[in-house]
Amino acid sequence: MKALPQISEAEFEVMKVIWKYAPINTNEITDKLTQTTKWSPKTIQTLIKRLVTKGALSYEKQSRVFVYTPLIEQKEYIKQESRSFLKRYYGGDITAMFSAYIEDDKLSKSEIDALRSLLLKNSGNKEI
């Protein structure tokens, strides 16, 4: 699998808007992000330019505006980041990650049922 570009937390916020609304123009991106952040339009434009440079976005000029489309899929990016997190903090041991989480936070019955269902689906076992 080809490595996807590394993006910052701020760039990820921009990507979430683009993933949700693509194709989307600069003004629409700015409008949506100024409602949820304290960023100036100039900051948002800088983040967009960085994402284009990193190969995360493509754009085309339509009349007087730039319209952006993601070049990476949200699901694939999140999968890559999850693997990186797991490897960095837990040595790739998913059991250690879940154990650390479960020790600190009590799971609700519905969360346990959802996890059980996922494990059953992926293991082929009838019991968990």
Side-chain angles (χ1 to χ4, degrees):
M1 180 172 96
K2 180 184 160 193
L4 302 174
Q6 290 295 312
I7 60 177
S8 70
E9 298 254 347
E11 292 164 345
F12 185 72
E13 290 302 312
V14 175
M15 287 300 297
K16 287 193 304 188
V17 169
I18 295 168
W19 279 320
K20 186 172 183 176
Y21 299 103
I24 184 170
N25 71 46
T26 309
N27 294 333
E28 293 168 327
I29 296 168
T30 301
D31 289 345
K32 292 185 184 312
L33 286 169
T34 54
Q35 292 175 22
T36 59
T37 69
K38 295 180 181 180
W39 299 336
S40 71
K42 183 86 171 143
T43 297
I44 295 166
Q45 290 174 6
T46 299
L47 292 168
I48 293 168
K49 286 177 188 172
R50 286 183 191 165
L51 288 164
V52 169
T53 301
K54 291 180 177 186
L57 296 177
S58 67
Y59 67 91
E60 63 179 50
K61 191 170 184 180
Q62 294 179 358
S63 307
R64 302 180 74 198
V65 296
F66 291 96
V67 177
Y68 295 89
T69 305
L71 292 175
I72 59 176
E73 292 183 34
Q74 184 175 17
K75 183 178 178 179
E76 288 301 311
Y77 186 77
I78 291 171
K79 187 186 301 184
Q80 173 183 281
E81 289 301 299
S82 297
R83 286 181 182 141
S84 175
F85 176 86
L86 182 62
K87 185 175 180 181
R88 180 176 181 185
Y89 294 103
Y90 297 98
D93 184 351
I94 196 163
T95 304
M97 183 187 78
F98 275 113
S99 295
Y101 180 78
I102 291 169
E103 286 174 13
D104 293 334
D105 297 310
K106 295 290 181 205
L107 297 177
S108 70
K109 180 172 176 6
S110 65
E111 290 171 322
I112 292 169
D113 290 344
L115 287 170
R116 183 177 287 120
S117 177
L118 284 171
L119 291 169
L120 283 170
K121 179 179 160 186
N122 289 314
S123 71
N125 288 334
K126 300 286 185 230
E127 292 182 31
I128 290 187

